[in-house]
Structure formats: C-alpha cells, structure tokens
Amino acid sequence: MIGITSYGAYIPRLRLDRMAIFQGMGWFAPAIMMVAQGERSMCNWDEDAITMAVEASRDCLRGRDKSQLEAFYLASTTLPFADRQNAGIVSAALNLRDDMITADHTSSQKAATTALITALESIQSGQRHNIMVTASDSRETRTAYFYEMWFGDGAAALSVGDDDVIAEYKGSYSLSMDFVDHYRGADQKYDYVWEERWTRDAGYGEIIPRVVNGLFDKLGISMDDVDRLVYPCFFKRDHRSIAAGLGATPEKLVDNMHEVCGETGAAHSFMMFISALEEAKPGDRILMCGFGQGANALYFEVTDHISRLAGRNGVAGSLANKKSTGNYLKWLKFRDLIKTEMGIRAEAPTQTATSVLWRKNKMIMGLVGGKCRECHTPQFPKADICVNPECGAFHSQEDFEFADVPAKVKTFTGDLLSVSVDPPAIYGMVQFEGGGRTVVDFTDCALDDVRVGLPVKMAFKRKGVDKERGFVNYFWKAVPVPGAAEEKDIIRFDDRVAVITGAGAGLGKAYALELAGRGARVVVNDLGGARDGSDQGSASPADKVVDEIKALGGEAVANYDNVATPEGGENIVKTALDTFGRLDIVINNAGILRDKSFLKMEPENWKAVMDVHLNGAYHVTRPAMAAMKENGYGRIIMTTSAAGLYGNFGQTNYSAAKMGLVGLMNTLKLEGQKYNVKVNTIAPIAASRLTEDVMPPELFEKSRPEFVVPMVTYLCGENCQESGAIFNSGMGYFNRVAVYTGPTVQLGDPDNPPTPEQIHENWNQINSMDGAGEMEDANTAIFALITPPAEASESAESDEQAGGDVQAVFDKMVDGFKADAAAGVDVIFQFNISGQGGGEWYCVIKDSTCTVEKGAHEKPACTIKMADGNFLAMMGGKLPAMQAFTSGKLLIEGDVMKSQLLEKLFVIG
Ligand code: NAD
C-alpha cells in the first residue's frame, strides 16, 4: 500500500487581528471591512518560507527515522533564493543525509500538490520508498488591500511511502492550463491580481468542479465516496457554493481557515488536508485539490494506522499556540513595508563568507555539535578536546545533533542597544539536557516571558539579511516551549524530598498530602503522642498518613521519632536521606500544649513545650541544613503562633517557644542565603485537637487546615524567593507579620549620656512608630539606630529637598491618571521610595483604569527606585524623568521602556 505516512504543520505564533488592519487603513480603503473577520497568521521578523518549512518538516518527522528519507521536495512561491536550492537549505537544517534528491517546486499555487503527485508516483514506480514534500509560503501584499486580509503565512508537510501508511493513495487527476487570475513577475515583490469576479467565476468556479469531476470519472467514484472535500478558495461564499454545486453536503467541506489563519499560499491545500486528517477516522475518504494554472485532485482513504501516529503539533497544535496582536505598525515593520531608522550599528558589514558557511555547514545549519566517544559528554560547538575535565580526550568527538534536545534557559538579557527589528534583542545561554550549552538569541517571546530555568526548544530562524548582496543568513534560536511558562508557575515538587514533623494529624497531615500530591516524596514524622506529649506515643497516625499518600499514588515513608531529642532529629533526617537520597524541604510542625497561667507554670511544663517546639525545630533543622547545603537548595518552614507573636493568656511557655522560632528563622535566613536555603514562618489558624477547646465552635468549623496549606505549599516551592518572613494564615485570610523599628531619636552627645529625665521629656518621639521600617539584620538595625536624624532625613541619594508628602503624591496619583492615553496599556509599576517619607507603593494600569496600593506587588513590570526628595521633585514637575534617570537619581528595574509611559499616563506637576 502506498500513501501518506506522516504529516506536520507550522503556523507562526503571531496572529494579526484583521480589525487592526482596518483600524489602521480603513479611512483609506473602507471596503476591506468586508473581510476583516478573525485573524491572519503572521511571520515573526525572523521567519520566512524556509524557516517555516523546517518547522513543519520537523513536525512531520516526529517519531520517524529521517535517515530513511530518499527525497525531499520543497514547494513555495516565496523562496528566498532564485539560484541556491532552497530545499537544500531545509535539508541541511534537518540534517538529512546527502545521498538523496532535493528539489524546489515553485511558480504556482498548485506546486505542492504537483510535487506530492510526483512523489507518490515515484513510490508507485518502486524507485523510492520514502519522500517528504513540504510546502510553505509567506506572500507579500501592499497595505490596505483585500489580499493583505486574505493571505496568511504557514507551512505544511506530508511524507509519503509504502510502509506505515495512514492514508492510502487511490489516484489523482490533473489539469494544466495557462489561466492567469494573478501573477507575480520574476523581479516583483507583489502579485498583480486580475478582477476578483474573474478569479471567482472563471477560476475557482470552473476549474475546481472540472478537476473534481475529472477525478471522479477517472476513478469511477462520485461525491458519495467522499467524506471530506479539500480545496483552497479564499472567497468564503464561493468556497461553499462550489461544494454545493458538486453535490457535497456542508459537513463534507473542510473549512478554508480564513478566520483563524488566512490562506497560506502553496501550503494551503496541505494545511486544510492535514486539518481533515487530524479529525479523520479509519475508512474516511478525503479528496484534496490544489489550484493554480489548472488544478490537481488527489484521493485518499484513511487507514487504521492513523491512530498509531506519534503526537505532533499539526494544524490544531499550531493554531492553539498563538499570540494575537493588534499592532499593525509592527506588522508593517516586520514585513519591511515601512522604513525605520535602524541606527549606525545596523551598518555593520553583513557579508557571509560562503567558504566558512560550507566548512561549518553542519554546525550552523544543522546545529550539530559533538559527543565524546569515551565519556559521552556532549558539547557545542564540537572541539578537539573533550570539555569534561575528568576526561579531556583528544579528537574523540562524534557528530551530535542538538536541535531536538530539550534545553532550559541558563542566563538571559534584554538588550536595547543591539540592532533589532523587535527590541529588546533577547539572548543568553541555554543549557541542553544531558550536557552542552551555547549562547543563542531568543525569539517568539517577550522579555517578560523569559525566565531562568524556562524550558526552550531550538528553532531554525533567520539570523539576518544581507540586503546589499541578497543573502539570507540562518541559524538556530531558542523559543520558549508553548505553555512552559504557565507550567512553571504550577508549583510542583517532583524530585523534591520533604520532612514534615507532626504529620500524623492536623496541619502536618494536610501539608503531607498536598506536597505528595504535587510530586514530593515525603517523610511523615509523628510520635503519635497525647495532646500534652505526656505518653509514649504510637506508630498509627504516621502509618495511616503514609497509607493514604500511597493510595493516592504518592511516595512517603513513616518515621516515629521524637523531635524533642537530638537523636530523634538526626534520625528523622536520616530517614529522608536513606530512603530518598536527599532532603529539600523541612516543615517544623510538631507541637503540644501545656497551658497554665505563669505562676502555675512548673519547670516540666515549661521545658516540655520548649523541647518539642523550639528545641524540636533545632534538632531537625540542623542536620537538615547540612544536607541542604550539599544540594545548594532548601526550603524550611517554622511554625509560630499568634500566642507568641501577640501574647495569649495562660501560654507563656508556648508563646516563648513560638517566638523563639522567629528568632531562629531571623538568623537562619542569613546563614542559609548563600546555599539558596529560604526560611519562613507560618502562624496558622486551624481546627485541630490543639484548638478544639480553645476556638469558638463556629470558628472551629470554618478553620479547616486546607486553608493554611496553600501558603505553606507556596513557601516550600522553588518559585518562592521570600526568606525571613512570617505569615498569618487561616480560613483563606493571609497577612504578613514583621518586626518594625521606629525612627531614631538622638539624645545627649558622644561624651555625655542623656539623663532619664531627657528620656521622659522625649518619650512621645522615642515611642513613635511614624515612619517605622523593617531591618534586614542586626547590623542594619544598629546602623539605623546610630545614624543621626539629620543625615537620615537627607537620605544618601536624595539631593532634592523633600518639601512634601510622598503618601500624598500616591493618594493623588489616580486623579492625575490620563485614562484616554492608556488604551491598550497593561502595566504594573512598583515604586520603592527611600528616605523618611518613603515606603512601597504599586500602581496597576489595566483596561484604561488605574489603581494605587501601598505595598509590594508580586510581579511588577517595572520597579522605580528613588529617594523621597527626588521623587517629589519629579512628580512635582521640577525634575524631568529622563534627567533623573540619566543622573542616576531614578533607578529602574525590569522593563525600562515601560517607565517611559509614566509621563504619558499621568499629569505631572
Ligand atoms: P495536632 O495536635 O493536630 O498536630 C500535631 C502533631 O504533632 C500531632 O500529630 C502529634 O502527635 C505530633 N507531635 C507532638 N509532639 C511530637 C514530637 N515530640 N515528635 C513528633 N511528633 C510530635 O496540632 P496542629 O493544630 O495541627 O498543630 C500543628 C502545629 O501548628 C503546632 O506546632 C502548633 O503549635 C501550631 N499551631 C497551630 C494552630 C492551630 O490553630 N491549629 C495555631 C498556631 C500554631
């Protein structure tokens, strides 16, 4: 049996909203409104027919042995080279073998179906067994034109052969005639198009029925033998009426994809055919036509084998991976339809030495590096000496293809100075799984999308164009894997090991189930003792939780040690290391209560509570910290309580222990910093046996531990960069608790200590928390204490007189917001203002509204750091923003360009 053996497609991620074309040019060409529905696909500035063909071909080759290909045909009318075989470029990028035939099929919209028939007949003849035909087009049109709306960019690939056939080839019929509905002269960029009526009536309207009926006659079949009918025709109404005229019911007709991508030129018959294959079941019969200077019709029957095809993007996957834009000027720039000043940096020589290109052909075109024959270490580029310092073998490198190796972002930057069609130029280092790393450009993403650790895939793109000599340079770039950024936001603990003390019940059990459900391997520690810790304990609570985790498909091990002893702590950590080989997370949660008023608080009750809570955390965390230091990673949670933070009658022992844990965290966060160990503290409110007789019943009902779990889970995650913070959590309410220090008052002088009477006199000022702030560590606090007020108020960086109230500026910010200037703006500004009146505020601008809040936003686009005086001067119109920036008074982090919006969006002065 011969026929289609695989398929693949590529539609660029960018889609231009057709209304943006109309909004930009409707004043000039109002009639284009008639076809302004949906969106058209749009090449990125570094894509063309070749790059799209490479991607569609890679999709088609998924799960297939590319060394079996014996011929590769490329069909397109927008090939970048008139004399340098374009199929050869694609073949080099795919790293196909060189003892094969490659050919360009061009000069007609039906080139792809012609190439396909040629390929199928070559298989039928028995001369070849495996051929790939890829079609790709990115046609140019002038602006404000119907065809700008109708056309789309894209590529589609079909492989054909005599084994593993997914759609059997039943036959074809062709018409060749010099019918000219449009043409593009050899030296022209744009099509010349005859009247639409002519194209519709004499073109599609006559030629498609003729070729379909010709095929029916040749194969002795009728429309009853066709389940899906594929032919391109960008006139929506005529597309339907031709099918109706042929006797096809509407559900047989495959959509022409106008709304979702537009007509992709020579690739479009394949594109529609693949969309039909994606929905097809064995036995379905598909008739595909190509149109242009006549037409081709091919008839296929889908086989059982289609269900065994490896997963791929195809048309559906490509359509799903999209980034819509309404930026028509960007479209014009990307297509080179408007001339922008690129600066003198763009004048750097762009000539390509074809000799070097040939010598490094595999490396540049095929992203081929080396792999050491002796130690199997991959590296890019290939070198004479193995990079592995423990190997260092000479001339041991075998070819190794990196194009399909999963990779992650190791470092990156956004560069506004480099020449770029779409600034900032984003580039950085990618690390390949299994070894090898290289510096590459990032594309198909915004700077905000890129993060260290983000999975990327390599894609063949245009590196640059030498317009003077008509040469296009290609190389591989990194593209964020679709959905990976979103997935990265999903908190997972795969490969992480967690110790949770007191996890046999209450909060600890809830943490254990959640972390295990998100992939962690968990040591469920619980002594199984009484509420006051007075008995010997039992293995049952820990065992039950382990059973529950395992029943849900998770991994866990029980441990029954007592956290109150050093050996117990050691053993809990040992259980993690012995069972799972590492330790990443510790939640110090075990707890007991022995409440008594202070005068009745005997030493054993004091000590028992100290031993479990404070000493317990020390016993477990110390050996855990040693393991975390080894890994250079750790997340530690302490459990405090409102009793310790604020006081609670009858709980002096518990309060002291719980506040002791805060002290432990404060210093451990500093010591853990360089090992990437983050330490935070939770102050939970949850129904458990510890709270059943303390909480009012209605509160007890509502306080399910599950409402505390999300905060602890977040604090245990890789994304959490917070360290040294305390959070109250319960019933879905969260807030942060911190130790604040008031402003310094200096009394006396260096030689004469002040008198107690002076303290009394200045009491209100000393006792005031106006302008209080948090201190990073003890040294910062001591420095703040001994910094004389005059210097403090001057503020190191502020050379403008404050003369105003920073808070008042933020209070008025919303009034000064220019909503009409904010259409389409979606940005979050964070303001960190230092000095006496300073603090943190953030401003969210979305849907032409502006809100201002005090505090720090989690994901600001742009952070503005200024001293209070400078800030007031800038917002008062006395200090221009640009001058503040260039003089270093305004520091900007994140997206620097966004800061330019400030003057546009707010009335300043
Ligand atoms: P819980 O009694 O349900 O759970 C505590 C678990 O710790 C028990 O299963 C117990 O067997 C275990 N345990 C006690 N001593 C141990 C030891 N020496 N070694 C190993 N395991 C031991 O109580 P919970 O409410 O889930 O409390 C969990 C933590 O949260 C405690 O530290 C508690 O002080 C703290 N906390 C709870 C609340 C709340 O509202 N529930 C409020 C503030 C703080």
Side-chain angles (χ1 to χ4, degrees):
M1 186 191 292
I2 72 145
I4 308 290
T5 51
S6 182
Y7 63 79
Y10 178 80
I11 297 169
R13 174 175 171 260
L14 286 176
R15 310 293 150 77
L16 178 66
D17 182 347
R18 288 197 180 92
M19 277 312 284
I21 307 178
F22 180 75
Q23 274 156 4
M25 294 308 294
W27 60 273
F28 172 77
I32 56 174
M33 179 62 187
M34 286 190 292
V35 286
Q37 314 85 26
E39 45 196 21
R40 59 155 295 165
S41 54
M42 149 185 179
C43 275
N44 203 342
W45 67 271
D46 56 0
E47 293 184 304
D48 64 10
I50 293 276
T51 67
M52 292 192 294
V54 172
E55 289 309 309
S57 305
R58 290 173 80 194
D59 199 35
C60 183
L61 288 170
R62 275 176 211 238
R64 301 191 62 79
D65 179 1
K66 65 183 179 183
S67 70
Q68 299 297 312
L69 277 184
E70 295 157 312
F72 171 63
Y73 301 151
L74 176 63
S76 173
T77 66
T78 50
L79 295 168
F81 290 93
D83 189 352
R84 173 190 175 191
Q85 200 187 50
N86 299 278
I89 302 174
V90 176
S91 172
L94 297 172
N95 216 15
L96 299 181
R97 58 193 239 207
D98 52 15
D99 57 335
M100 67 186 296
I101 284 190
T102 52
D104 292 341
H105 288 250
T106 184
S107 306
S108 172
Q109 295 297 301
K110 72 169 197 273
T113 45
T114 308
L116 186 64
I117 293 171
T118 311
L120 285 161
E121 288 177 356
S122 171
I123 307 272
Q124 265 175 337
S125 74
Q127 291 294 308
R128 293 179 197 277
H129 307 277
N130 216 328
I131 302 175
M132 183 162 66
V133 183
T134 300
S136 177
D137 247 341
S138 170
R139 290 173 294 171
E140 303 296 352
T141 73
R142 291 194 176 84
T143 60
Y145 196 23
F146 282 100
Y147 288 82
E148 188 181 34
M149 296 271 190
W150 275 320
F151 288 179
D153 301 330
L158 293 171
S159 69
V160 295
D162 51 14
D163 204 7
D164 297 342
V165 169
I166 61 166
E168 185 183 0
Y169 175 55
K170 299 282 197 182
S172 68
Y173 179 76
S174 295
L175 291 171
S176 289
M177 49 192 63
D178 187 27
F179 174 80
V180 185
D181 56 323
H182 76 278
Y183 67 88
R184 196 181 321 139
D187 57 349
Q188 298 293 309
K189 186 170 178 182
Y190 307 112
D191 290 359
Y192 183 83
V193 185
W194 205 247
E195 255 189 272
E196 279 157 29
R197 198 159 43 100
W198 167 250
T199 311
R200 280 198 314 254
D201 299 346
Y204 291 115
E206 276 186 26
I207 296 173
I208 296 286
R210 226 185 111 187
V211 81
V212 170
N213 287 321
L215 181 80
F216 285 169
D217 290 348
K218 182 175 168 187
L219 301 183
I221 56 171
S222 70
M223 195 48 86
D224 293 343
D225 302 300
V226 176
D227 297 299
R228 302 306 306 275
L229 181 59
V230 170
Y231 57 86
C233 174
F234 45 79
F235 306 108
K236 198 99 191 161
R237 191 161 3 118
D238 300 78
H239 187 233
R240 284 192 297 262
S241 64
I242 292 168
L246 281 163
T249 49
E251 62 281 4
K252 289 192 178 186
L253 184 63
V254 175
D255 182 66
N256 74 353
M257 298 170 67
H258 172 73
E259 278 78 9
V260 290
C261 101
E263 201 195 64
T264 56
H268 209 57
S269 300
F270 281 15
M271 199 72 83
M272 291 169 66
F273 178 68
I274 291 169
S275 76
L277 278 180
E278 285 172 343
E279 292 172 356
K281 43 187 196 321
D284 281 359
R285 294 144 309 170
I286 308 176
L287 194 161
M288 162 170 57
C289 301
F291 174 83
Q293 292 81 54
N296 296 307
L298 298 90
Y299 185 56
F300 296 94
E301 183 170 338
V302 176
T303 73
D304 290 345
H305 208 82
I306 195 153
S307 56
R308 293 197 282 280
L309 203 62
R312 62 205 53 236
N313 279 337
V315 171
S318 299
L319 287 175
N321 176 30
K322 69 165 183 173
K323 167 101 182 140
S324 301
T325 176
N327 189 341
Y328 184 58
L329 286 174
K330 199 166 206 174
W331 153 266
L332 294 177
K333 174 65 197 155
F334 281 15
R335 304 301 270 215
D336 217 6
L337 291 166
I338 46 171
K339 294 286 165 218
T340 53
E341 176 54 55
M342 296 301 282
I344 50 172
R345 282 190 172 83
E347 289 163 23
T350 49
Q351 189 183 26
T352 299
T354 57
S355 46
V356 178
L357 180 61
W358 169 240
R359 285 194 200 105
K360 302 272 181 198
N361 202 259
K362 270 182 177 275
M363 179 186 104
I364 296 170
M365 304 300 281
L367 202 68
V368 174
K371 189 172 198 172
C372 178
R373 214 176 295 116
E374 293 181 17
C375 72
H376 309 295
T377 302
Q379 68 189 72
F380 187 90
K382 212 172 176 179
D384 287 344
I385 304 169
C386 175
V387 278
N388 178 0
E390 277 154 33
C391 172
F394 286 87
H395 300 295
S396 63
Q397 305 269 301
E398 285 172 342
D399 278 0
F400 182 74
E401 290 180 35
F402 280 92
D404 291 323
V405 178
K408 284 190 173 165
V409 177
K410 181 112 183 110
T411 61
F412 72 98
T413 188
D415 184 343
L416 281 164
L417 285 179
S418 287
V419 181
S420 171
V421 179
D422 189 18
I426 311 169
Y427 50 87
M429 174 88 76
V430 295
Q431 170 73 52
F432 292 98
E433 206 173 283
R437 56 172 70 162
T438 187
V439 173
V440 285
D441 291 321
F442 293 87
T443 189
D444 277 341
C445 58
L447 187 57
D448 282 351
D449 303 335
V450 187
R451 271 179 280 165
V452 168
L454 184 74
V456 290
K457 60 188 179 68
M458 303 309 291
F460 190 72
K461 301 282 175 178
R462 284 196 335 185
K463 176 88 180 143
V465 180
D466 179 351
K467 286 190 180 155
E468 209 178 315
R469 298 170 195 85
F471 196 83
V472 185
N473 257 310
Y474 296 95
F475 189 52
W476 292 80
K477 298 185 183 180
V479 177
V481 171
E486 294 74 20
E487 204 142 278
K488 231 177 144 353
D489 288 338
I490 296 174
I491 297 169
R492 293 281 313 168
F493 299 97
D494 308 292
D495 306 326
R496 299 276 178 220
V497 175
V499 157
I500 304 171
T501 68
L507 285 159
K509 174 181 173 183
Y511 303 149
L513 286 167
E514 182 70 17
L515 261 61
R518 288 173 181 263
R521 286 165 293 162
V522 181
V523 176
V524 176
N525 157 264
D526 207 294
L527 181 69
R531 183 181 189 249
D532 65 358
S534 58
D535 61 356
Q536 282 309 299
S538 130
S540 150
D543 285 344
K544 278 193 188 146
V545 174
V546 169
D547 290 347
E548 210 170 314
I549 289 173
K550 287 187 175 164
L552 293 166
E555 271 189 80
V557 63
N559 170 288
Y560 322 109
D561 278 290
N562 184 350
V563 298
T565 66
E567 309 76 54
E570 293 273 355
N571 214 27
I572 294 168
V573 170
K574 191 168 176 299
T575 304
L577 299 178
D578 289 353
T579 318
F580 301 126
R582 58 182 293 135
L583 178 55
D584 307 282
I585 297 161
V586 167
I587 305 179
N588 289 300
N589 166 78
I592 58 165
L593 278 185
R594 291 198 182 187
D595 295 355
K596 293 215 163 144
S597 63
F598 187 57
L599 291 180
K600 293 183 191 147
M601 182 67 70
E602 305 85 357
E604 74 262 25
N605 290 333
W606 177 269
K607 188 168 175 308
V609 165
M610 283 291 167
D611 278 348
V612 174
H613 290 275
L614 182 56
N615 297 338
Y618 159 74
H619 295 142
V620 177
T621 308
R622 189 162 163 264
M625 185 78 177
M628 290 173 177
K629 181 181 163 187
E630 283 291 301
N631 296 341
Y633 181 88
R635 298 289 181 266
I636 298 170
I637 309 294
M638 304 294 175
T639 307
T640 188
S641 157
L645 295 170
Y646 312 108
N648 198 27
F649 197 91
Q651 292 196 310
T652 45
N653 52 353
Y654 184 70
S655 305
K658 287 302 196 193
M659 207 52 184
L661 287 160
V662 172
L664 172 56
M665 170 194 76
N666 283 338
T667 293
L668 205 56
K669 85 173 179 213
L670 302 174
E671 295 188 13
Q673 216 163 27
K674 73 172 174 203
Y675 309 120
N676 188 19
V677 174
K678 315 277 182 207
V679 195
N680 290 290
T681 297
I682 186 85
I685 298 172
S688 76
R689 68 173 183 175
L690 290 191
T691 47
E692 59 196 346
D693 55 359
V694 187
M695 277 188 191
E698 35 335 319
L699 204 63
F700 190 82
E701 279 287 295
K702 288 188 203 155
S703 310
R704 297 210 324 269
E706 287 70 21
F707 283 97
V708 177
V709 170
M711 173 59 87
V712 171
T713 307
Y714 170 70
L715 294 173
C716 287
E718 217 169 303
N719 288 357
C720 172
Q721 294 304 309
E722 194 67 53
S723 197
I726 309 163
F727 298 95
N728 279 313
S729 312
M731 294 167 282
Y733 298 97
F734 306 92
N735 61 21
R736 189 158 89 88
V737 186
V739 174
Y740 262 54
T741 307
T744 296
V745 178
Q746 192 194 8
L747 302 174
D749 61 53
D751 298 324
N752 298 300
T755 62
E757 289 73 18
Q758 277 178 292
I759 300 284
H760 185 197
E761 269 164 41
N762 291 283
W763 186 248
N764 285 347
Q765 219 188 328
I766 298 170
N767 199 25
S768 164
M769 292 298 278
D770 285 351
E774 275 182 83
M775 301 291 153
E776 254 169 57
D777 56 17
N779 287 338
T780 316
I782 293 166
F783 182 77
L785 177 72
I786 61 172
T787 305
E791 277 175 42
S793 67
E794 244 174 45
S795 163
E797 325 88 55
S798 182
D799 45 8
E800 301 283 344
Q801 285 305 309
D805 177 358
V806 176
Q807 177 66 58
V809 172
F810 286 102
D811 290 344
K812 280 193 235 128
M813 202 156 184
V814 175
D815 299 338
F817 175 66
K818 295 191 251 175
D820 49 349
V825 177
D826 182 356
V827 63
I828 297 162
F829 292 107
Q830 175 71 48
F831 295 87
N832 295 352
I833 310 300
S834 61
Q836 287 273 301
E840 293 176 331
W841 289 264
Y842 64 87
C843 164
V844 180
I845 295 165
K846 198 174 167 68
D847 302 329
S848 295
T849 61
C850 164
T851 50
V852 177
E853 299 282 346
K854 202 159 173 34
H857 193 276
E858 209 182 313
K859 280 193 186 158
C862 165
T863 300
I864 287 155
K865 294 187 171 177
M866 286 188 96
D868 49 358
N870 295 336
F871 177 72
L872 290 168
M874 185 178 84
M875 296 310 279
K878 290 188 208 130
L879 175 63
M882 191 47 90
Q883 191 187 325
F885 180 65
T886 49
S887 61
K889 292 176 186 171
L890 166 61
L891 299 179
I892 304 170
E893 282 173 13
D895 189 343
V896 177
M897 299 309 294
K898 293 264 160 59
S899 67
Q900 303 284 317
L901 289 170
L902 276 178
E903 281 176 309
K904 181 183 147 203
L905 296 175
F906 294 97
V907 179
I908 300 218

